[in-house]
Amino acid sequence: MTRVLFATSEVYPLVKTGGLADVSASLPEALCRLGYDVNILLPGYPSAMAAASRTGTSPLAQFSIDGFKVTLVESRLPGTAVTIWLVDCPQLFGREGNPYQNDQGEDWPDNAQRFKLFAEVGARIAMGQAGLAWCPEIVHCNDWQSALLPVFLQAYPERPGTVFTIHNLAYQGLFPQTTFAALGLPETLWRYDQLEFHGQLSFIKGGLVFSDRITTVSPGYAEEIQTPELGYGLDGLLRYRRPQLSGILNGIDTRTWNPEDDQYLDRHYGRDHLKNKRLCQTALLQTMGLAANGAALLGFIGRLVEQKGLDWLLSVMPPLLERGCQFAILGSGEARFEAPLKELARKWPAHVSLKIGYDEALAHRITAGCDLFLMPSRFEPCGLNQMYSLRYGTIPVVHAVGGLRDTVFDPADTGIDHANGFCFKSPDPVSFLEAVERALDCHKNRKAWRRLQENGMAGDYSWTQSAVHYGELYQGILAERQTPIKT
Ligand code: ADP
C-alpha cells in the first residue's frame, strides 16, 4: 500500500476555482480504490474548514512556522474514505471568498508567504517532522501553490519521491526579488536554473526543477508546453526535463456526471435510450427563457477569459444567430467579455440566454439540454466540459489543442465511425465558424448525428485508467530511488 501525500490548493467540494479542484477530489479517491493510501493536504480556508467540520474534524498537530501558529486538522473528503489534512492558519488562510484573491480580483499581497508556509507544512509531514505516525513514500504536488514542497525536500537524501503536476502553466506564482529575500529562502536558490525567472521569484520552477517526475493533464499539453508558443518562457526547462515529463489525461467524476442518474435533471437518458434528451432540452429552454423553435441549441460553460476563446465565440455568434441558432451560456469572468455577451442577450432575447455566475445545477442542465457544446479555447491543458458533453450525447466543437485534441475526434480525420465531435485547427474565428457549420450540417443528418452521439457516449472518461497511470509513475520513482545512480 504505497503512501501518497497529495498537496493541493483546491479540492471539490471544499473549495473550487477550476478544474484543479475536480482532479484533487477524483484522483485521490480513484487511487484509494486501487489500494493506495492517500492523504490530501489543503490550506484551511473558511469554506474548507466549515465543510470539514460538518464531516467531523480532529486536531492532529500544532507548530509554529515563520511566527505563524499552525494547526493540522484531520477530516474526510465528504462522501469518500479519503483523509484530508487542513492547514489551519487563520492569519494566512482565514479569508472568505476566492482562495487567491480579494473581492476586487486582486491577488492577496501575502500569497508568497501563504503558499510557502503551506509547502513547509507539507515538507514537515513528508520528512516525519510533524509528529504524525504516517509518512509518505510519494509527495504529489499540484501547480505553483505547492511547488516549493519539492524544493524543501531536495536537501534530504532520504526524502520521499516527488511528482509535480502542471494543471495550467499560465499560472506560475511570480513574485519580486524582494519577496524572495523576505521569505528567507536560501540564497543558493536564486539562480536561473533554480527559482529565479527573469529577475523574479518563480514558485512553479521549484516544482519543475526539483521533482522526480513532472506530469501535465493531457499528452497533447505535455507536447505543447515544450514549444515557445505555449511554454511561457519555461519551454527550454521543460525540454531539458523531457525524459521526466509526461501527460496523463484527467478523468471526470462519472457518478456526478451521468445522464442516467443526474441529480440535477428531471429526465434521464443513456446511450441506447436517448429519447429523454429532447425533454431535457425543452426544460432547459424553459428555465433559460428561450423560445422553443426547433433550432440547434449551442452551449458554453466556463470562465469568461481569453484562454477560453471568448473573443472567437463573440465573433461567431452573430452569423450563427442569423442562421437561427440559439445559445445557452453560463460563466463569469472579465467585464470585457461579459458586456458584449449581455448586449447579445439583450438584442436576441429569444435566442441568447446568459447566466453570469457559478451554477453547478445549470451546468448539468446545459450539458444535457444542448445539441452542440462549444470550446474554442486558445489553449486547454485538459478540459473537462468536452468530456461531460461527450458523455451526455452533446456534440463538442473544439479547438484542436491540448486535452481537447486528445479527446475529440472529427469525422474529417477519423471517419464517422470513430468520430465524436468537430475540431478546428487554425487558431482563428473563421475556422471555428467553419467547424460549427459542419456540425450544424451534420445535425440535419439524423443517422450520422446519432452515430457521433453513440461514439461519444461509449467512451471511458472515468479516473480508473488515469489513476493506474499515476500509480505506474509512482512505482517507477520508488524503483529508481532504491537503485543508487551510478556515476
Ligand atoms: P478551467 O480549470 O480552466 O476553468 P476546466 O474545463 O478544466 O477549466 O474545468 C472547469 C470546471 O469548472 C468544469 O467542471 C466546469 O463545468 C466548471 N465551471 C466553470 N465555470 C462554471 C460556472 N460558471 N458554473 C458552473 N460550473 C462551472
Side-chain angles (χ1 to χ4, degrees):
M1 229 200 192
T2 306
R3 297 180 303 279
V4 182
L5 180 68
F6 192 89
T8 177
S9 58
E10 300 183 23
V11 181
Y12 180 82
L14 278 64
V15 54
K16 170 168 167 171
T17 71
L20 170 63
D22 296 312
V23 176
S24 301
S26 305
L27 175 57
E29 204 197 341
L31 285 165
C32 284
R33 279 201 300 272
L34 291 179
Y36 285 81
D37 176 8
V38 188
N39 287 345
I40 299 174
L41 187 70
L42 177 79
Y45 316 108
S47 67
M49 296 301 291
S53 69
R54 286 192 289 276
T55 316
T57 54
S58 52
L60 274 190
Q62 274 199 332
F63 20 87
S64 165
I65 296 176
D66 298 338
F68 296 100
K69 243 184 82 187
V70 180
T71 310
L72 197 63
V73 175
E74 179 167 288
S75 184
R76 213 155 275 281
L77 189 62
T80 74
V82 183
T83 301
I84 184 156
W85 286 338
L86 294 148
V87 178
D88 184 21
C89 177
Q91 275 174 283
L92 294 181
F93 296 121
R95 299 168 201 174
E96 297 291 345
N98 185 293
Y100 318 120
Q101 297 179 334
N102 64 19
D103 287 347
Q104 277 73 53
E106 296 153 350
D107 290 348
W108 295 113
D110 56 352
N111 270 349
Q113 175 66 70
R114 298 169 83 217
F115 293 105
K116 182 219 171 199
L117 178 132
F118 177 61
E120 208 155 330
V121 173
R124 287 197 187 189
I125 296 170
M127 293 315 303
Q129 297 164 358
L132 307 179
W134 187 93
C135 222
E137 292 154 277
I138 294 287
V139 176
H140 189 154
C141 303
N142 296 277
D143 278 351
W144 72 264
Q145 294 88 347
S146 49
L148 289 190
L149 223 166
V151 179
F152 294 138
L153 293 182
Q154 47 117 13
Y156 302 92
E158 71 287 16
R159 67 171 172 79
T162 47
V163 177
F164 182 73
T165 298
I166 305 164
H167 296 262
N168 191 337
L169 193 63
Y171 302 101
Q172 302 185 352
L174 293 177
F175 301 95
Q177 186 172 6
T178 46
T179 304
F180 176 81
L183 290 179
L185 292 166
E187 283 289 321
T188 49
L189 293 170
W190 190 258
R191 286 171 41 160
Y192 81 94
D193 57 352
Q194 299 202 3
L195 298 189
E196 190 264 343
F197 182 70
H198 301 288
Q200 290 189 288
L201 162 64
S202 164
F203 268 49
I204 203 169
K205 279 186 79 177
L208 301 182
V209 171
F210 293 105
S211 302
D212 294 317
R213 294 285 189 285
I214 303 167
T215 68
T216 185
V217 289
S218 69
Y221 195 55
E223 291 302 318
E224 288 166 4
I225 55 177
Q226 296 177 52
T227 66
E229 292 75 32
L230 285 176
Y232 292 92
L234 294 167
D235 46 296
L237 170 57
L238 289 162
R239 285 194 299 276
Y240 175 72
R241 296 230 55 199
R242 188 180 178 88
Q244 293 86 36
L245 168 64
S246 61
I248 301 177
L249 197 68
N250 282 341
I252 60 171
D253 181 343
T254 49
R255 273 172 307 177
T256 323
W257 290 92
N258 178 5
E260 306 249 17
D261 178 30
D262 185 318
Q263 59 166 318
Y264 299 111
L265 301 182
D266 296 329
R267 305 295 185 123
H268 296 110
Y269 60 92
R271 190 174 156 215
D272 52 6
H273 52 106
L274 265 160
K275 224 173 76 210
N276 278 350
K277 183 166 166 59
R278 187 128 300 277
L279 297 176
C280 292
Q281 181 160 104
T282 309
L284 176 68
L285 290 169
Q286 221 166 36
T287 313
M288 296 199 80
L290 293 169
N293 59 10
L297 181 59
L298 284 56
F300 176 92
I301 302 167
R303 294 180 291 123
L304 305 179
V305 296
E306 183 164 324
Q307 180 203 329
K308 300 292 176 185
L310 260 291
D311 47 346
W312 294 345
L313 180 65
L314 284 162
S315 309
V316 305
M317 281 178 73
L320 291 171
L321 285 163
E322 297 292 346
R323 268 185 76 144
C325 292
Q326 292 180 299
F327 290 86
I329 299 177
L330 167 65
S332 64
E334 296 175 26
R336 66 183 169 126
F337 299 123
E338 282 188 15
L341 281 173
K342 281 181 186 157
E343 180 54 25
L344 279 170
R346 196 192 53 76
K347 210 169 139 194
W348 295 83
H351 288 77
V352 179
S353 181
L354 170 69
K355 166 93 192 270
I356 299 286
Y358 189 91
D359 188 333
E360 196 77 24
L362 187 59
H364 284 250
R365 290 176 189 142
I366 291 177
T367 304
C370 284
D371 299 299
L372 273 67
F373 193 90
L374 308 179
M375 289 186 79
S377 305
R378 285 277 156 76
F379 68 95
E380 193 58 81
C382 177
L384 298 173
N385 286 301
Q386 83 279 15
M387 291 192 267
Y388 301 153
S389 300
L390 288 166
R391 199 161 151 76
Y392 280 66
T394 301
I395 304 302
V397 181
V398 306
H399 186 199
V401 285
L404 298 175
R405 77 175 150 104
D406 290 333
T407 48
V408 179
F409 309 109
D410 192 305
D413 297 324
T414 62
I416 192 85
D417 285 346
H418 301 284
N420 58 14
F422 294 86
C423 303
F424 64 99
K425 289 174 186 152
S426 3
D428 57 68
V430 177
S431 51
F432 177 29
L433 183 61
E434 186 264 339
V436 179
E437 280 170 346
R438 282 193 297 123
L440 292 171
D441 287 345
C442 182
H443 188 227
K444 291 186 206 129
N445 177 341
R446 235 180 111 89
K447 211 170 136 205
W449 194 256
R450 180 68 193 233
R451 187 69 220 231
L452 292 183
Q453 288 180 306
E454 282 177 5
N455 290 345
M457 294 176 92
D460 177 4
Y461 310 105
S462 73
W463 267 102
T464 313
Q465 272 312 309
S466 311
V468 166
H469 290 313
Y470 278 107
E472 287 164 357
L473 193 87
Y474 298 160
Q475 298 312 325
I477 299 173
L478 293 176
E480 186 181 281
R481 289 187 56 76
Q482 275 163 16
T483 319
I485 299 161
K486 290 200 183 81
T487 50

mmCIF file of all heavy atoms in Angstrom, residues 354-385:
data_model
loop_
_atom_site.group_PDB
_atom_site.id
_atom_site.type_symbol
_atom_site.label_atom_id
_atom_site.label_comp_id
_atom_site.label_asym_id
_atom_site.label_seq_id
_atom_site.Cartn_x
_atom_site.Cartn_y
_atom_site.Cartn_z
ATOM 1 N N LEU A 354 -28.088 34.150 -21.150
ATOM 2 C CA LEU A 354 -26.787 34.273 -20.498
ATOM 3 C C LEU A 354 -26.995 34.287 -19.003
ATOM 4 O O LEU A 354 -27.790 35.075 -18.485
ATOM 5 C CB LEU A 354 -26.135 35.601 -20.939
ATOM 6 C CG LEU A 354 -24.875 36.026 -20.187
ATOM 7 C CD1 LEU A 354 -23.713 35.102 -20.505
ATOM 8 C CD2 LEU A 354 -24.518 37.476 -20.572
ATOM 9 N N LYS A 355 -26.283 33.405 -18.309
ATOM 10 C CA LYS A 355 -26.334 33.449 -16.842
ATOM 11 C C LYS A 355 -24.914 33.730 -16.369
ATOM 12 O O LYS A 355 -23.988 32.941 -16.608
ATOM 13 C CB LYS A 355 -26.853 32.107 -16.311
ATOM 14 C CG LYS A 355 -26.659 31.891 -14.830
ATOM 15 C CD LYS A 355 -27.863 32.329 -14.010
ATOM 16 C CE LYS A 355 -27.554 32.380 -12.520
ATOM 17 N NZ LYS A 355 -27.803 31.144 -11.814
ATOM 18 N N ILE A 356 -24.737 34.890 -15.739
ATOM 19 C CA ILE A 356 -23.428 35.233 -15.189
ATOM 20 C C ILE A 356 -23.372 34.690 -13.774
ATOM 21 O O ILE A 356 -24.272 34.943 -12.964
ATOM 22 C CB ILE A 356 -23.220 36.774 -15.161
ATOM 23 C CG1 ILE A 356 -23.286 37.367 -16.576
ATOM 24 C CG2 ILE A 356 -21.922 37.139 -14.458
ATOM 25 C CD1 ILE A 356 -22.102 37.111 -17.461
ATOM 26 N N GLY A 357 -22.331 33.918 -13.490
ATOM 27 C CA GLY A 357 -22.191 33.382 -12.136
ATOM 28 C C GLY A 357 -21.770 31.928 -12.199
ATOM 29 O O GLY A 357 -21.505 31.386 -13.283
ATOM 30 N N TYR A 358 -21.690 31.324 -11.030
ATOM 31 C CA TYR A 358 -21.309 29.918 -10.940
ATOM 32 C C TYR A 358 -22.532 29.125 -10.524
ATOM 33 O O TYR A 358 -23.158 29.438 -9.514
ATOM 34 C CB TYR A 358 -20.180 29.737 -9.912
ATOM 35 C CG TYR A 358 -19.612 28.353 -9.952
ATOM 36 C CD1 TYR A 358 -18.529 28.053 -10.770
ATOM 37 C CD2 TYR A 358 -20.187 27.327 -9.220
ATOM 38 C CE1 TYR A 358 -18.032 26.767 -10.850
ATOM 39 C CE2 TYR A 358 -19.702 26.040 -9.301
ATOM 40 C CZ TYR A 358 -18.620 25.768 -10.105
ATOM 41 O OH TYR A 358 -18.138 24.485 -10.193
ATOM 42 N N ASP A 359 -22.933 28.142 -11.312
ATOM 43 C CA ASP A 359 -24.171 27.424 -11.036
ATOM 44 C C ASP A 359 -24.021 25.954 -11.460
ATOM 45 O O ASP A 359 -24.128 25.616 -12.641
ATOM 46 C CB ASP A 359 -25.310 28.112 -11.818
ATOM 47 C CG ASP A 359 -26.674 27.558 -11.450
ATOM 48 O OD1 ASP A 359 -26.757 26.389 -11.040
ATOM 49 O OD2 ASP A 359 -27.658 28.302 -11.607
ATOM 50 N N GLU A 360 -23.736 25.129 -10.469
ATOM 51 C CA GLU A 360 -23.477 23.707 -10.729
ATOM 52 C C GLU A 360 -24.693 23.037 -11.403
ATOM 53 O O GLU A 360 -24.547 22.318 -12.385
ATOM 54 C CB GLU A 360 -23.176 23.044 -9.374
ATOM 55 C CG GLU A 360 -22.532 21.691 -9.439
ATOM 56 C CD GLU A 360 -21.041 21.719 -9.754
ATOM 57 O OE1 GLU A 360 -20.354 22.729 -9.499
ATOM 58 O OE2 GLU A 360 -20.567 20.701 -10.285
ATOM 59 N N ALA A 361 -25.910 23.307 -10.883
ATOM 60 C CA ALA A 361 -27.111 22.660 -11.411
ATOM 61 C C ALA A 361 -27.333 23.055 -12.870
ATOM 62 O O ALA A 361 -27.588 22.203 -13.732
ATOM 63 C CB ALA A 361 -28.324 23.052 -10.571
ATOM 64 N N LEU A 362 -27.208 24.346 -13.150
ATOM 65 C CA LEU A 362 -27.420 24.811 -14.529
ATOM 66 C C LEU A 362 -26.357 24.231 -15.467
ATOM 67 O O LEU A 362 -26.648 23.907 -16.628
ATOM 68 C CB LEU A 362 -27.423 26.345 -14.575
ATOM 69 C CG LEU A 362 -27.799 26.966 -15.913
ATOM 70 C CD1 LEU A 362 -29.199 26.537 -16.355
ATOM 71 C CD2 LEU A 362 -27.728 28.495 -15.851
ATOM 72 N N ALA A 363 -25.143 24.069 -14.954
ATOM 73 C CA ALA A 363 -24.071 23.474 -15.779
ATOM 74 C C ALA A 363 -24.496 22.081 -16.246
ATOM 75 O O ALA A 363 -24.320 21.718 -17.418
ATOM 76 C CB ALA A 363 -22.768 23.413 -14.994
ATOM 77 N N HIS A 364 -25.094 21.311 -15.355
ATOM 78 C CA HIS A 364 -25.542 19.965 -15.735
ATOM 79 C C HIS A 364 -26.682 20.048 -16.760
ATOM 80 O O HIS A 364 -26.735 19.265 -17.716
ATOM 81 C CB HIS A 364 -26.013 19.202 -14.487
ATOM 82 C CG HIS A 364 -24.883 18.702 -13.646
ATOM 83 N ND1 HIS A 364 -24.564 17.373 -13.520
ATOM 84 C CD2 HIS A 364 -23.965 19.368 -12.904
ATOM 85 C CE1 HIS A 364 -23.518 17.235 -12.721
ATOM 86 N NE2 HIS A 364 -23.137 18.440 -12.325
ATOM 87 N N ARG A 365 -27.591 21.004 -16.542
ATOM 88 C CA ARG A 365 -28.759 21.097 -17.434
ATOM 89 C C ARG A 365 -28.349 21.572 -18.827
ATOM 90 O O ARG A 365 -28.908 21.118 -19.829
ATOM 91 C CB ARG A 365 -29.802 22.041 -16.817
ATOM 92 C CG ARG A 365 -30.422 21.391 -15.599
ATOM 93 C CD ARG A 365 -31.387 22.279 -14.872
ATOM 94 N NE ARG A 365 -31.756 21.630 -13.620
ATOM 95 C CZ ARG A 365 -31.943 22.245 -12.461
ATOM 96 N NH1 ARG A 365 -31.808 23.555 -12.376
ATOM 97 N NH2 ARG A 365 -32.258 21.569 -11.389
ATOM 98 N N ILE A 366 -27.384 22.469 -18.887
ATOM 99 C CA ILE A 366 -26.899 22.923 -20.203
ATOM 100 C C ILE A 366 -26.195 21.769 -20.915
ATOM 101 O O ILE A 366 -26.399 21.518 -22.102
ATOM 102 C CB ILE A 366 -25.947 24.141 -20.048
ATOM 103 C CG1 ILE A 366 -26.740 25.375 -19.590
ATOM 104 C CG2 ILE A 366 -25.199 24.422 -21.351
ATOM 105 C CD1 ILE A 366 -25.891 26.618 -19.333
ATOM 106 N N THR A 367 -25.373 21.050 -20.166
ATOM 107 C CA THR A 367 -24.637 19.929 -20.762
ATOM 108 C C THR A 367 -25.612 18.898 -21.333
ATOM 109 O O THR A 367 -25.390 18.348 -22.419
ATOM 110 C CB THR A 367 -23.726 19.277 -19.702
ATOM 111 O OG1 THR A 367 -22.883 20.296 -19.166
ATOM 112 C CG2 THR A 367 -22.868 18.179 -20.294
ATOM 113 N N ALA A 368 -26.706 18.642 -20.631
ATOM 114 C CA ALA A 368 -27.682 17.650 -21.103
ATOM 115 C C ALA A 368 -28.573 18.205 -22.207
ATOM 116 O O ALA A 368 -28.897 17.499 -23.168
ATOM 117 C CB ALA A 368 -28.542 17.195 -19.928
ATOM 118 N N GLY A 369 -28.962 19.482 -22.100
ATOM 119 C CA GLY A 369 -30.012 20.006 -22.972
ATOM 120 C C GLY A 369 -29.542 20.540 -24.312
ATOM 121 O O GLY A 369 -30.354 20.709 -25.229
ATOM 122 N N CYS A 370 -28.250 20.805 -24.468
ATOM 123 C CA CYS A 370 -27.796 21.401 -25.738
ATOM 124 C C CYS A 370 -27.559 20.327 -26.805
ATOM 125 O O CYS A 370 -27.401 19.144 -26.497
ATOM 126 C CB CYS A 370 -26.498 22.184 -25.502
ATOM 127 S SG CYS A 370 -26.827 23.752 -24.682
ATOM 128 N N ASP A 371 -27.519 20.788 -28.054
ATOM 129 C CA ASP A 371 -27.137 19.898 -29.149
ATOM 130 C C ASP A 371 -25.629 19.909 -29.334
ATOM 131 O O ASP A 371 -24.993 18.875 -29.504
ATOM 132 C CB ASP A 371 -27.813 20.357 -30.455
ATOM 133 C CG ASP A 371 -29.323 20.329 -30.339
ATOM 134 O OD1 ASP A 371 -29.866 19.234 -30.109
ATOM 135 O OD2 ASP A 371 -29.948 21.407 -30.443
ATOM 136 N N LEU A 372 -25.071 21.131 -29.306
ATOM 137 C CA LEU A 372 -23.625 21.298 -29.504
ATOM 138 C C LEU A 372 -23.045 21.990 -28.278
ATOM 139 O O LEU A 372 -23.722 22.805 -27.637
ATOM 140 C CB LEU A 372 -23.359 22.237 -30.692
ATOM 141 C CG LEU A 372 -23.290 21.669 -32.094
ATOM 142 C CD1 LEU A 372 -24.649 21.158 -32.521
ATOM 143 C CD2 LEU A 372 -22.835 22.765 -33.045
ATOM 144 N N PHE A 373 -21.783 21.665 -27.983
ATOM 145 C CA PHE A 373 -21.098 22.359 -26.888
ATOM 146 C C PHE A 373 -19.830 22.980 -27.461
ATOM 147 O O PHE A 373 -19.043 22.300 -28.122
ATOM 148 C CB PHE A 373 -20.756 21.372 -25.766
ATOM 149 C CG PHE A 373 -20.351 22.076 -24.508
ATOM 150 C CD1 PHE A 373 -21.301 22.415 -23.551
ATOM 151 C CD2 PHE A 373 -19.036 22.447 -24.292
ATOM 152 C CE1 PHE A 373 -20.943 23.108 -22.399
ATOM 153 C CE2 PHE A 373 -18.673 23.136 -23.146
ATOM 154 C CZ PHE A 373 -19.630 23.463 -22.202
ATOM 155 N N LEU A 374 -19.639 24.272 -27.216
ATOM 156 C CA LEU A 374 -18.532 24.986 -27.864
ATOM 157 C C LEU A 374 -17.347 25.178 -26.918
ATOM 158 O O LEU A 374 -17.507 25.651 -25.794
ATOM 159 C CB LEU A 374 -19.019 26.359 -28.348
ATOM 160 C CG LEU A 374 -20.284 26.358 -29.216
ATOM 161 C CD1 LEU A 374 -20.663 27.783 -29.614
ATOM 162 C CD2 LEU A 374 -20.094 25.490 -30.454
ATOM 163 N N MET A 375 -16.167 24.815 -27.384
ATOM 164 C CA MET A 375 -14.943 25.042 -26.599
ATOM 165 C C MET A 375 -13.830 25.562 -27.517
ATOM 166 O O MET A 375 -12.946 24.811 -27.915
ATOM 167 C CB MET A 375 -14.499 23.764 -25.898
ATOM 168 C CG MET A 375 -15.419 23.373 -24.761
ATOM 169 S SD MET A 375 -14.838 21.963 -23.811
ATOM 170 C CE MET A 375 -13.594 22.689 -22.757
ATOM 171 N N PRO A 376 -13.888 26.871 -27.840
ATOM 172 C CA PRO A 376 -12.873 27.418 -28.742
ATOM 173 C C PRO A 376 -11.609 27.873 -28.001
ATOM 174 O O PRO A 376 -11.022 28.897 -28.350
ATOM 175 C CB PRO A 376 -13.617 28.607 -29.356
ATOM 176 C CG PRO A 376 -14.553 29.066 -28.277
ATOM 177 C CD PRO A 376 -14.913 27.865 -27.452
ATOM 178 N N SER A 377 -11.182 27.136 -26.979
ATOM 179 C CA SER A 377 -10.069 27.572 -26.124
ATOM 180 C C SER A 377 -8.805 27.864 -26.925
ATOM 181 O O SER A 377 -8.450 27.106 -27.834
ATOM 182 C CB SER A 377 -9.738 26.491 -25.099
ATOM 183 O OG SER A 377 -10.874 26.136 -24.369
ATOM 184 N N ARG A 378 -8.124 28.948 -26.556
ATOM 185 C CA ARG A 378 -6.810 29.236 -27.152
ATOM 186 C C ARG A 378 -5.857 28.090 -26.836
ATOM 187 O O ARG A 378 -5.109 27.610 -27.675
ATOM 188 C CB ARG A 378 -6.247 30.527 -26.565
ATOM 189 C CG ARG A 378 -6.880 31.784 -27.086
ATOM 190 C CD ARG A 378 -6.219 32.167 -28.421
ATOM 191 N NE ARG A 378 -7.118 32.982 -29.204
ATOM 192 C CZ ARG A 378 -7.379 34.276 -28.974
ATOM 193 N NH1 ARG A 378 -6.762 34.901 -28.010
ATOM 194 N NH2 ARG A 378 -8.216 34.936 -29.718
ATOM 195 N N PHE A 379 -5.836 27.711 -25.558
ATOM 196 C CA PHE A 379 -5.107 26.515 -25.140
ATOM 197 C C PHE A 379 -5.949 25.847 -24.060
ATOM 198 O O PHE A 379 -6.778 26.501 -23.418
ATOM 199 C CB PHE A 379 -3.697 26.846 -24.646
ATOM 200 C CG PHE A 379 -3.654 27.618 -23.357
ATOM 201 C CD1 PHE A 379 -3.509 26.970 -22.148
ATOM 202 C CD2 PHE A 379 -3.753 29.006 -23.348
ATOM 203 C CE1 PHE A 379 -3.480 27.681 -20.951
ATOM 204 C CE2 PHE A 379 -3.727 29.724 -22.162
ATOM 205 C CZ PHE A 379 -3.589 29.058 -20.958
ATOM 206 N N GLU A 380 -5.774 24.570 -23.884
ATOM 207 C CA GLU A 380 -6.599 23.856 -22.902
ATOM 208 C C GLU A 380 -5.790 22.689 -22.342
ATOM 209 O O GLU A 380 -5.632 21.662 -23.015
ATOM 210 C CB GLU A 380 -7.881 23.357 -23.584
ATOM 211 C CG GLU A 380 -8.962 22.885 -22.645
ATOM 212 C CD GLU A 380 -9.400 23.962 -21.660
ATOM 213 O OE1 GLU A 380 -10.215 24.844 -22.031
ATOM 214 O OE2 GLU A 380 -8.911 23.930 -20.521
ATOM 215 N N PRO A 381 -5.261 22.846 -21.122
ATOM 216 C CA PRO A 381 -4.425 21.778 -20.558
ATOM 217 C C PRO A 381 -5.116 20.413 -20.627
ATOM 218 O O PRO A 381 -4.511 19.429 -21.045
ATOM 219 C CB PRO A 381 -4.210 22.237 -19.117
ATOM 220 C CG PRO A 381 -4.262 23.745 -19.201
ATOM 221 C CD PRO A 381 -5.297 24.040 -20.248
ATOM 222 N N CYS A 382 -6.358 20.330 -20.225
ATOM 223 C CA CYS A 382 -7.121 19.093 -20.422
ATOM 224 C C CYS A 382 -8.534 19.447 -20.853
ATOM 225 O O CYS A 382 -8.977 19.082 -21.921
ATOM 226 C CB CYS A 382 -7.143 18.239 -19.157
ATOM 227 S SG CYS A 382 -8.156 16.774 -19.377
ATOM 228 N N GLY A 383 -9.229 20.193 -19.988
ATOM 229 C CA GLY A 383 -10.631 20.493 -20.274
ATOM 230 C C GLY A 383 -11.499 19.362 -19.749
ATOM 231 O O GLY A 383 -11.174 18.183 -19.939
ATOM 232 N N LEU A 384 -12.548 19.725 -19.068
ATOM 233 C CA LEU A 384 -13.462 18.705 -18.546
ATOM 234 C C LEU A 384 -14.789 18.752 -19.290
ATOM 235 O O LEU A 384 -15.424 17.730 -19.522
ATOM 236 C CB LEU A 384 -13.713 18.950 -17.046
ATOM 237 C CG LEU A 384 -12.480 18.849 -16.148
ATOM 238 C CD1 LEU A 384 -12.804 19.281 -14.724
ATOM 239 C CD2 LEU A 384 -11.933 17.431 -16.146
ATOM 240 N N ASN A 385 -15.195 19.960 -19.679
ATOM 241 C CA ASN A 385 -16.532 20.112 -20.260
ATOM 242 C C ASN A 385 -16.736 19.303 -21.536
ATOM 243 O O ASN A 385 -17.846 18.846 -21.796
ATOM 244 C CB ASN A 385 -16.814 21.592 -20.521
ATOM 245 C CG ASN A 385 -17.083 22.334 -19.229
ATOM 246 O OD1 ASN A 385 -17.996 21.998 -18.495
ATOM 247 N ND2 ASN A 385 -16.262 23.324 -18.927
#
